[in-house]
Amino acid sequence: MTTIADSIRPDVPPSGPGCVECDATGSWWLHLRRCAFCGHIGCCDDSVDKHSTAHAQATGHDVIQSYEPGEDWFWSFSAASYVEDGPELAPPRSHPRGQTTPGPAGRVPANWRDLIG
Protein backbone atom coordinates (compact mmCIF):
# COMPACT_ATOMS: atom_id res chain seq x y z
CA MET A 1 0.00 0.00 0.00
CA THR A 2 1.35 3.43 -0.95
CA THR A 3 1.45 6.02 1.81
CA ILE A 4 1.59 9.80 1.62
CA ALA A 5 5.26 9.60 2.68
CA ASP A 6 5.95 7.32 -0.33
CA SER A 7 4.46 10.02 -2.58
CA ILE A 8 6.86 12.78 -1.50
CA ARG A 9 10.53 12.91 -2.47
CA PRO A 10 11.99 16.02 -0.80
CA ASP A 11 15.31 15.83 -2.65
CA VAL A 12 13.84 16.16 -6.18
CA PRO A 13 14.06 19.70 -7.61
CA PRO A 14 11.21 21.28 -9.58
CA SER A 15 11.16 20.90 -13.37
CA GLY A 16 11.41 24.67 -13.94
CA PRO A 17 9.75 28.02 -13.31
CA GLY A 18 6.50 27.35 -15.18
CA CYS A 19 4.01 24.73 -16.32
CA VAL A 20 5.90 22.23 -18.48
CA GLU A 21 3.04 21.67 -20.93
CA CYS A 22 1.92 25.31 -21.12
CA ASP A 23 5.49 26.37 -21.87
CA ALA A 24 5.72 23.72 -24.59
CA THR A 25 2.49 24.84 -26.27
CA GLY A 26 2.70 28.59 -25.67
CA SER A 27 -0.27 28.53 -23.30
CA TRP A 28 -0.65 30.28 -19.92
CA TRP A 29 -1.66 29.43 -16.35
CA LEU A 30 -3.43 30.88 -13.34
CA HIS A 31 -1.46 29.18 -10.53
CA LEU A 32 1.26 26.55 -10.45
CA ARG A 33 1.53 23.22 -8.63
CA ARG A 34 4.57 21.01 -8.07
CA CYS A 35 4.47 17.22 -8.10
CA ALA A 36 5.96 16.19 -4.75
CA PHE A 37 7.29 12.96 -6.26
CA CYS A 38 9.01 13.95 -9.52
CA GLY A 39 9.08 17.78 -9.41
CA HIS A 40 6.85 18.27 -12.48
CA ILE A 41 5.41 21.79 -12.54
CA GLY A 42 1.86 21.95 -13.86
CA CYS A 43 -0.96 24.47 -13.89
CA CYS A 44 -3.80 24.30 -11.34
CA ASP A 45 -7.38 23.18 -11.90
CA ASP A 46 -8.51 26.80 -12.17
CA SER A 47 -6.23 27.14 -15.18
CA VAL A 48 -7.60 26.42 -18.64
CA ASP A 49 -5.55 23.26 -19.21
CA LYS A 50 -5.37 21.68 -15.69
CA HIS A 51 -1.98 20.09 -16.36
CA SER A 52 -1.18 19.29 -12.71
CA THR A 53 -4.21 17.01 -12.37
CA ALA A 54 -3.54 15.51 -15.81
CA HIS A 55 0.02 14.70 -14.69
CA ALA A 56 -1.25 13.02 -11.51
CA GLN A 57 -3.77 10.95 -13.47
CA ALA A 58 -1.23 9.89 -16.09
CA THR A 59 1.56 9.00 -13.65
CA GLY A 60 -0.18 8.02 -10.41
CA HIS A 61 1.86 10.67 -8.58
CA ASP A 62 -0.59 11.51 -5.82
CA VAL A 63 0.71 14.56 -3.94
CA ILE A 64 1.28 18.12 -5.14
CA GLN A 65 2.49 21.24 -3.39
CA SER A 66 1.63 24.81 -4.25
CA TYR A 67 4.38 26.43 -6.34
CA GLU A 68 3.22 29.95 -5.51
CA PRO A 69 5.41 32.32 -3.45
CA GLY A 70 4.53 32.23 0.24
CA GLU A 71 2.45 29.02 0.00
CA ASP A 72 3.65 25.65 1.27
CA TRP A 73 0.51 23.47 1.42
CA PHE A 74 0.34 19.94 0.02
CA TRP A 75 -2.69 18.22 -1.55
CA SER A 76 -3.37 14.49 -1.97
CA PHE A 77 -5.49 13.65 -5.01
CA SER A 78 -6.46 10.19 -3.71
CA ALA A 79 -7.51 11.50 -0.29
CA ALA A 80 -9.01 14.68 -1.78
CA SER A 81 -7.56 16.60 1.15
CA TYR A 82 -4.64 18.65 2.33
CA VAL A 83 -1.59 16.80 3.65
CA GLU A 84 -0.54 17.90 7.12
CA ASP A 85 3.11 18.43 7.97
CA GLY A 86 4.70 17.73 4.61
CA PRO A 87 8.50 18.06 4.43
CA GLU A 88 10.36 20.98 2.91
CA LEU A 89 11.05 20.24 -0.75
CA ALA A 90 14.26 20.99 -2.64
CA PRO A 91 14.57 24.61 -3.77
CA PRO A 92 13.33 26.61 -5.41
CA ARG A 93 10.02 26.26 -3.58
CA SER A 94 8.06 28.63 -5.84
CA HIS A 95 8.12 30.23 -9.23
CA PRO A 96 10.20 33.42 -9.39
CA ARG A 97 8.55 36.25 -7.45
CA GLY A 98 8.78 38.50 -10.50
CA GLN A 99 6.74 36.08 -12.62
CA THR A 100 3.19 37.31 -13.05
CA THR A 101 0.08 35.53 -11.79
CA PRO A 102 -1.56 34.60 -14.04
CA GLY A 103 1.48 34.02 -16.14
CA PRO A 104 3.70 34.17 -17.82
CA ALA A 105 3.58 37.79 -18.84
CA GLY A 106 3.03 38.19 -22.55
CA ARG A 107 0.98 35.00 -22.96
CA VAL A 108 -2.02 35.81 -20.75
CA PRO A 109 -5.01 36.89 -22.86
CA ALA A 110 -6.79 40.12 -21.94
CA ASN A 111 -10.02 38.18 -21.31
CA TRP A 112 -8.38 35.55 -19.06
CA ARG A 113 -11.05 35.92 -16.34
CA ASP A 114 -13.70 34.83 -18.85
CA LEU A 115 -11.70 31.71 -19.75
CA ILE A 116 -11.23 30.15 -16.30
CA GLY A 117 -13.80 28.09 -14.50
Side-chain angles (χ1 to χ4, degrees):
M1 182 171 146
T2 302
T3 66
I4 294 296
D6 295 332
S7 297
I8 301 174
R9 294 174 50 204
D11 58 324
V12 176
S15 60
C19 176
V20 173
E21 292 83 4
C22 287
D23 281 342
T25 63
S27 191
W28 60 279
W29 54 80
L30 184 59
H31 296 291
L32 296 172
R33 307 294 180 239
R34 174 183 180 169
C35 176
F37 187 78
C38 74
H40 174 273
I41 302 300
C43 54
C44 72
D45 281 356
D46 288 331
S47 298
V48 174
D49 295 311
K50 302 170 180 38
H51 287 126
S52 184
T53 294
H55 172 78
Q57 291 170 342
T59 63
H61 297 170
D62 183 51
V63 178
I64 58 171
Q65 185 179 44
S66 175
Y67 200 55
E68 294 297 316
E71 296 181 0
D72 62 0
W73 54 264
F74 288 85
W75 176 262
S76 166
F77 287 102
S78 64
S81 67
Y82 291 99
V83 175
E84 299 295 324
D85 301 321
E88 188 170 292
L89 301 183
R93 286 179 270 291
S94 72
H95 64 74
R97 289 192 181 273
Q99 182 174 294
T100 61
T101 303
R107 292 200 321 236
V108 180
N111 67 335
W112 68 268
R113 286 181 182 86
D114 298 330
L115 301 173
I116 60 174

